[in-house]
């Protein structure tokens, strides 16, 4: 089955057509540089995205702490990853890189904090 | 409170922090950063998505992580002080300034040099004059971004987004990820001013339609937004074609319709402004027409990549330090002028002489392919061909200063 993508490697935005030939090799058409081919193959075979969100923090100088997956996760698993993040919370102090959800939705990636939240001064 | 410092920096966002570090490196003995929010980092703290730092750090960071890199550096340096919750009210041409804060009351500062790094703000509904009622539920995209990402509040459930700037695109995905339905993104122009990757990863990934040559012509609802009327526009005049008007039910309208450099303080100094960028006119050192007052980042011109802001702010910070220490050379400048498809160029002035200078510019429309020529003294001193130049991406060209023989012109044309 042929699939169409717009390459995001640079502002040119080549329109890629990607398909699997008889020998199961992935073919890319429409790219004008090697980066386009790499992107096309990746999007066709296993598209991945980094998921970012925020989780509530208790006892913090801020109410929310921003988080991300420390590795890209399969695009199809994003809803599960978001569900897991929605159930998470933190307690201040939080440092950049603190683990929020380990092995989120079984993807192998961890959800980690991307900002520092200090304790609220009393 | 009265303070005397070498360099005072108005704004503790990415521009202000990078300027502070560069001023320190260049030898400034005391640096004061004045920030009105309760934490440094500026707008980056609400830009929780990734994609920052690819150029500057060679890796993909989220906004808060990018900010934290600079905050960590600043905290290591004793001669840089950051005053938080402090609002600068006035900057004078003699490089003194007046600020207020809860903690310190009125703060007066006399600086050897001032760096303006106030950033920009969003255009609002009022700037567009969208007809209709005035219900709750109309937000700028950045306001919604702060509510969702930092305050943990959802501004609505069924959303229409007007404008396909990057913040609008990012918020389209964010709202979907938080459980809202995003009906569409309307863009009055025939192209998006947002980055390609955002159109793909924010809209296409989430099956959100993007309509070009389309705008919102009326807002409906008494207490809360109940829907908007959208219509196609004539691509030439941008006048709405009312026969194409249709009602789209929604409870929220997000606006991503442009950014305006926040230059009220700059104007108070008497600095010459650029009517296109809405920022000050600067030379290659990022000095305004007022001696010792420098500007950088989004208050100078709106950037699309924070990496470029950091780079530009370092130039301003370094030269502000030199000015304060009395080592900044004064020299005759030539003008840098846009021509053809070039909308503006920063810096607007240059000193002839040694070394190289980077010129940053934007084009008026999409050029595919594009030919760029830099002319000076009736001669072409630089020529570049690119496969594409679009208004959404700031362009950069480096010239050799020894080639400069009079005013410099930056011209873009199809070809």
């Amino acid at each position: 089955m042929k699939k169409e993508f717009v390459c995001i490697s640079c502002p040119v935005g080549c329109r890629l057509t990607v398909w699997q030939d008889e020998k199961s090799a992935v073919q890319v058409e429409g790219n004008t540089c090697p980066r386009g081919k790499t992107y096309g193959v990746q999007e066709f075979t296993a598209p991945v995205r980094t998921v970012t969100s925020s989780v509530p923090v208790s006892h913090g100088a801020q109410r929310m702490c921003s988080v991300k997956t420390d590795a890209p996760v399969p695009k199809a698993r994003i809803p599960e990853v978001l569900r897991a993040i929605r159930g998470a919370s933190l307690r201040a102090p939080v440092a950049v890189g603190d683990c929020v959800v380990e092995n989120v939705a079984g993807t192998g990636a961890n959800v980690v904090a991307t900002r520092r939240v200090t304790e609220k001064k009393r | 409170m009265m303070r005397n410092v070498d360099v005072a920096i108005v704004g503790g966002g990415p521009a202000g922090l990078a300027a502070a570090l560069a001023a320190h490196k260049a030898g400034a003995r005391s640096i004061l950063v004045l920030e009105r929010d309760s934490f440094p980092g500026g707008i980056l703290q609400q830009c929780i998505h990734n994609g920052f730092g690819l150029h500057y750090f060679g890796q993909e960071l989220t906004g808060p992580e990018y900010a934290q890199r600079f905050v960590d550096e600043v905290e290591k340096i004793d001669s840089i002080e950051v005053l938080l919750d402090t609002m600068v009210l006035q900057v004078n041409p003699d490089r003194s300034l007046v600020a207020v804060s809860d903690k310190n009351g009125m703060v007066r500062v006399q600086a050897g040099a001032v760096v303006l790094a106030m950033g920009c703000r969003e255009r609002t509904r009022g700037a567009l004059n969208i007809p209709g009622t005035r219900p709750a539920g109309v937000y700028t995209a950045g306001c919604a971004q702060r509510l969702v990402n930092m305050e943990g509040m959802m501004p609505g459930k069924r959303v229409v987004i007007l404008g396909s700037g990057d913040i609008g695109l990012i918020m389209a995905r964010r709202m979907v990820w938080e459980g809202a339905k995003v009906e569409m993104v309307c863009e009055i122009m025939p192209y998006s001013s947002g980055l390609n990757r955002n159109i793909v990863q924010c809209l296409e990934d989430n099956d959100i339609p993007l309509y070009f040559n389309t705008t919102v012509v009326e807002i409906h609802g008494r207490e809360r937004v109940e829907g908007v009327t959208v219509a196609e526009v004539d691509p030439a005049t941008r006048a709405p074609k009312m026969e194409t008007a249709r009602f789209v039910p929604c409870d929220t309208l997000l606006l991503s319709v442009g950014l305006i450099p926040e230059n009220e303080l700059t104007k108070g100094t008497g600095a010459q402004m650029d009517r296109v960028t809405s920022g000050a006119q600067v030379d290659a050192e990022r000095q305004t027409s007022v001696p010792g007052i420098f500007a950088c980042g989004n208050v100078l011109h709106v950037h699309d990549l924070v990496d470029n802001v950091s780079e530009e702010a370092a130039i301003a910070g370094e030269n502000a330090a030199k000015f304060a220490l009395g080592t900044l050379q004064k020299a005759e400048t030539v003008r840098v002028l846009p021509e053809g498809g070039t909308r503006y160029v920063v810096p607007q002035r240059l000193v002839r002489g040694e070394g190289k200078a980077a010129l940053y510019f934007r084009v008026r429309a999409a050029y595919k392919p594009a030919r760029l020529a830099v002319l000076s003294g009736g001669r072409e001193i630089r020529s570049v061909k690119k496969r594409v130049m679009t208004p959404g991406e700031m362009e950069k060209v480096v010239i050799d200063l020894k080639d400069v023989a009079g005013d410099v012109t930056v011209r873009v044309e199809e070809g």
Side-chain angles (χ1 to χ4, degrees), chain B residues 123-143:
Chain B
R123 288 179 77 207
T124 59
R125 177 185 178 182
L128 300 181
N129 287 321
I130 305 171
T133 53
R134 304 182 65 82
V138 182
Y139 300 85
T140 61
C143 176

Side-chain angles (χ1 to χ4, degrees), chain B residues 179-199:
Chain B
K181 168 105 179 80
V182 177
E183 298 291 341
M184 62 175 69
V185 176
C186 302
E187 170 59 59
I188 194 167
M189 301 301 286
Y191 53 82
S192 168
S193 60
L195 300 172
N196 223 338
R197 58 174 291 147
N198 287 336
I199 294 175

Side-chain angles (χ1 to χ4, degrees), chain B residues 87-105:
Chain B
M87 175 90 181
V88 176
L89 301 178
Q90 195 178 328
V91 180
N92 298 314
D94 66 355
R95 304 179 298 281
S96 66
L97 46 90
V98 182
V100 286
S101 81
D102 260 9
K103 199 172 145 204
N104 298 309

Side-chain angles (χ1 to χ4, degrees), chain B residues 211-331:
Chain B
Y211 298 111
F212 291 117
N213 297 312
T214 300
T215 192
V216 171
V217 293
E218 192 174 350
I219 297 171
H220 306 270
R222 277 179 67 85
E223 299 297 321
R224 177 79 196 190
V225 173
E226 285 161 16
V228 294
T229 303
V230 303
E232 290 175 26
V233 301
D234 183 316
T237 62
R238 278 180 236 153
K241 297 190 270 190
M242 291 316 286
E243 68 276 15
T244 65
R246 64 185 168 112
F247 180 79
V248 182
C250 61
D251 60 25
T252 304
L253 175 66
L254 298 189
L255 303 173
S256 175
V257 291
L259 301 167
I260 307 164
E262 196 161 347
N263 270 302
E264 283 70 19
L265 293 173
T266 316
K267 286 173 189 161
T269 67
Q272 273 173 24
M273 304 298 290
D274 183 316
R275 269 193 292 178
V276 180
T277 61
S278 303
Q281 294 194 21
V282 292
D283 58 22
E285 286 69 42
R286 302 302 186 270
Q287 186 169 207
T288 67
S289 62
V290 182
I293 298 187
F294 296 75
C296 57
N298 280 351
V299 79
L300 184 57
H301 58 134
V302 175
H303 297 61
D304 20 73
L305 298 179
V306 69
D307 307 62
N308 288 333
V309 169
S310 302
E311 215 174 277
E312 180 175 86
I315 299 173
E318 180 190 337
N319 289 293
K322 285 183 182 169
F323 184 93
L325 299 169
T327 57
L328 187 66
Q329 305 284 334
K330 243 184 112 180

Side-chain angles (χ1 to χ4, degrees), chain B residues 381-399:
Chain B
I381 60 171
R382 191 98 167 77
S383 167
V384 182
K385 285 196 169 196
K386 277 196 78 169
R387 269 156 56 197
V388 66
M389 284 191 194
T390 63
E393 309 237 358
M394 190 188 292
E395 299 285 342
K396 172 181 167 179
V397 62
V398 178
I399 59 166

Side-chain angles (χ1 to χ4, degrees), chain B residues 44-73:
Chain B
L44 285 173
Q45 299 290 13
Q46 69 181 55
C47 302
I48 64 167
H49 53 282
N50 67 333
F52 301 90
L54 276 169
H55 298 271
Y56 201 80
F57 290 114
Q59 54 178 301
E60 222 177 356
L61 303 170
T62 64
E65 290 173 306
Y66 190 98
Q68 196 60 41
R69 298 256 170 136
F70 286 85
V71 172
D72 286 346
E73 286 304 302

